[in-house]
Amino acid sequence: MSSNDTYRSIEVESLGKMYNIGKLQNQREEFLATSVIKSLVAPVRRAYKLARGQASAAADLDQEFWALRDINFTVNAGETVGIIGRNGAGKSTLLKILTRITRPTEGRTITRGRVASLLEVGTGFNMELTGRENVYLNGSILGMSRTEIDEKFDEIVAFSGVENFIDTPVKHYSSGMGVRLAFAVAAHLDTDILLVDEVLAVGDVAFQKKCFAKISDVASEGRTVLMVSHNMQAVSRFCERGILLEEGRLIQDGPIREVVASYLSLDDTASEAREWDSIESAPGNEKVRLKSVRVYSDMPSSPGVFDVRYPIHVEFEYWALEEGATFAPAFLLRDETETVVFLTGGMTQTTWREKPRSKGLYRSVCHIPANFLAEGQYTIDPHIHNVSEKILRPVNYVDLKSTLRFTIYDEVQGDTARGLYSGHFPGVVRPILDWDTQHVESADSVFL
């Protein structure tokens, strides 16, 4: 092992995983006679289906599907890395290969040290054994002695919250109980690498907070964490580095903020403007329909890319279809981690708050001030909801998700909140606020 390898806890080299669609993967494990019979019968059955014109016959033909292809990266000890990508990108397959659950078709992976994983509810648990027995079984699989497990046992059980059921067979656990105990085991035993898939959503909000706090503790102890999640806020909070997969390929590896922005930009359903040509196809109901929605700036620029120094405007055009209806447009603004920056709505306009609408076309514009939003990528969820004193909670007549997208940038020209600083600003807002500085005393009086 070279000196450089000492600091690498995970190495992935030219990794690929291929599946045969329509072909039994574990054929080698069948009895020989069964395999021979199937191999003789399959062509006849396939020809019969094709002759009958059955659409399913094509699915029986062998097709290669690469869940992962030519994946290369290394992870240093102590790094916390977020693996992100859309459904089917290969994220879970990658983690299963790293944990030796699945064998790669090509390439190799190297992990140094004890590896604990939480890939799906119940993974690594024997359903017939009790929670207590599974804790010791998992610890033994990781190479830990009974004494080491004894030292951690009480802490594991307390964290999981299943004290009253620790001697009950796991098959009687709810999914939430199972995932709590599984995470507690994986996070508390002395491992060098922790792999976590999108399973924490099973637990309640309080337990999720405990999990994320524990992940932070694990990372601060110098242990390596790989986290697969669709929760961009969580990934951005706990990971410094991100790896983006798309259709089985690694397309970006870098700072988590940049990788998350790239991931969100893969959604080609959003842009800086959206318009519906006809009332019949427009979103809404018999009271109101959304004609168009767009975001624009006072300064001419590339579509959807705005200078931080200029105001931004979000414009709604909508048809009022029912005489006397009361409603107002609104929208949620989210940042690149999908954190809600703010919710704003036309109900704040006293002129139109509860004024019955006459039939016709309306336009509403919301103005976001200059030097307010931090640099980054944002999405807008447009809504139109009812407005009435008699209704405690508004009902959305139009409810769209991530319909608009835009990016804020800063030219670093000295007349923004940036000043002489050229680095990244944390946070989702970056207002220029008034400061007052006074020279209170001279140096002579202070330092005498």
Side-chain angles (χ1 to χ4, degrees):
M1 183 183 299
S2 68
S3 58
N4 290 335
D5 290 339
T6 304
Y7 302 98
R8 294 176 179 173
S9 59
I10 299 174
E11 292 185 45
V12 177
E13 300 176 357
S14 303
L15 184 66
K17 178 61 180 178
M18 185 268 289
Y19 293 98
N20 285 323
I21 301 176
K23 183 176 181 180
L24 188 62
Q25 296 298 306
N26 298 320
Q27 204 169 41
R28 70 181 68 183
E29 298 178 3
E30 298 181 16
F31 290 110
L32 178 60
T34 304
S35 299
V36 171
I37 292 172
K38 285 190 175 183
S39 65
L40 293 174
V41 173
V44 178
R45 181 178 297 164
R46 191 175 302 142
Y48 175 74
K49 288 185 177 182
L50 288 171
R52 289 174 60 88
Q54 294 182 3
S56 60
D60 291 335
L61 302 177
D62 294 340
Q63 299 178 17
E64 292 185 353
F65 168 72
W66 286 91
L68 294 171
R69 196 69 186 269
D70 195 28
I71 305 296
N72 294 275
F73 65 88
T74 62
V75 179
N76 293 331
E79 277 194 284
T80 303
V81 182
I83 310 294
I84 61 179
R86 294 188 283 195
N87 290 333
K91 307 181 298 297
S92 296
T93 300
L94 174 60
L95 261 59
K96 288 179 179 178
I97 292 175
L98 290 173
T99 54
R100 305 294 189 265
I101 294 175
T102 301
R103 296 180 61 183
T105 304
E106 61 185 22
R108 66 170 186 163
T109 64
I110 300 173
T111 55
R112 296 182 172 88
R114 294 170 173 168
V115 180
S117 62
L118 186 59
L119 303 187
E120 56 190 44
V121 177
T123 296
F125 275 8
N126 185 320
M127 296 294 105
E128 299 299 325
L129 299 181
T130 66
R132 182 186 301 273
E133 291 167 335
N134 271 292
V135 171
Y136 281 91
L137 175 62
N138 274 257
S140 300
I141 292 173
L142 290 171
M144 300 181 66
S145 68
R146 186 176 184 86
T147 301
E148 289 178 296
I149 302 172
D150 286 339
E151 293 174 353
K152 296 281 187 177
F153 184 82
D154 291 341
E155 187 178 354
I156 290 170
V157 175
F159 185 93
S160 68
V162 299
E163 297 95 327
N164 296 332
F165 305 94
I166 194 63
D167 291 309
T168 301
V170 170
K171 65 182 179 181
H172 298 305
Y173 283 15
S174 68
S175 59
M177 292 169 61
V179 76
R180 291 201 302 269
L181 184 59
F183 181 87
V185 172
H188 285 81
L189 294 180
D190 290 330
T191 57
D192 302 290
I193 301 171
L194 176 62
L195 308 177
V196 184
D197 203 347
E198 188 80 78
V199 294
L200 300 184
V202 176
D204 55 33
V205 174
F207 184 72
Q208 288 180 34
K209 290 181 179 179
K210 287 175 63 176
C211 291
F212 290 136
K214 186 60 183 178
I215 291 173
S216 294
D217 293 341
V218 168
S220 65
E221 293 168 1
R223 295 152 68 184
T224 304
V225 178
L226 260 64
M227 176 191 297
V228 167
S229 179
H230 288 100
N231 185 335
M232 294 300 103
Q233 184 175 358
V235 170
S236 299
R237 177 179 176 185
F238 296 105
C239 303
E240 295 182 353
R241 173 184 169 194
I243 290 176
L244 177 58
L245 300 180
E246 175 70 4
E247 296 183 349
R249 299 276 186 173
L250 194 159
I251 62 174
Q252 189 172 358
D253 182 351
I256 189 64
R257 179 173 175 268
E258 298 176 7
V259 175
V260 167
S262 296
Y263 165 68
L264 294 176
S265 69
L266 293 175
D267 179 11
D268 56 6
T269 62
S271 62
E272 78 284 355
R274 183 79 186 273
E275 184 171 3
W276 290 265
D277 295 331
S278 67
I279 294 179
E280 291 75 17
S281 63
N285 59 14
E286 70 281 356
K287 298 178 183 294
V288 59
R289 296 275 180 176
L290 181 61
K291 181 180 185 295
S292 66
V293 60
R294 68 183 180 116
V295 56
Y296 60 96
S297 174
D298 288 349
M299 178 183 180
S301 60
S302 300
V305 180
F306 307 133
D307 190 314
V308 69
R309 298 170 298 166
Y310 294 86
I312 297 169
H313 314 285
V314 181
E315 179 187 277
F316 287 70
E317 285 193 344
Y318 45 96
W319 292 287
L321 305 178
E322 182 182 90
E323 192 73 27
T326 57
F327 50 80
F331 66 87
L332 278 172
L333 180 70
R334 303 176 188 269
D335 72 357
E336 55 200 19
T337 68
E338 297 191 355
T339 299
V340 174
V341 181
F342 60 72
L343 166 66
T344 184
M347 68 177 68
T348 57
Q349 286 185 287
T350 55
T351 305
W352 291 98
R353 182 177 297 165
E354 295 185 32
K355 182 178 180 179
R357 306 265 183 157
S358 300
K359 290 183 179 181
L361 179 65
Y362 291 81
R363 179 182 295 114
S364 298
V365 184
C366 174
H367 308 283
I368 303 174
N371 291 305
F372 179 72
L373 296 175
E375 290 176 275
Q377 191 172 81
Y378 297 87
T379 56
I380 289 175
D381 301 354
H383 306 286
I384 297 179
H385 52 242
N386 66 330
V387 181
S388 172
E389 287 184 349
K390 299 177 182 179
I391 299 177
L392 297 178
R393 295 191 62 180
V395 175
N396 285 327
Y397 297 154
V398 174
D399 187 1
L400 303 178
K401 178 70 183 295
S402 300
T403 302
L404 300 182
R405 177 185 293 114
F406 64 94
T407 300
I408 298 292
Y409 75 97
D410 189 341
E411 288 282 4
V412 196
Q413 296 185 11
D415 58 345
T416 70
R418 181 175 290 282
L420 299 176
Y421 176 67
S422 60
H424 167 62
F425 274 80
V428 293
V429 296
R430 200 189 70 186
I432 295 181
L433 303 178
D434 291 331
W435 283 69
D436 182 25
T437 302
Q438 298 178 356
H439 189 171
V440 179
E441 294 184 57
S442 66
D444 292 341
S445 62
V446 172
F447 300 112
L448 287 178

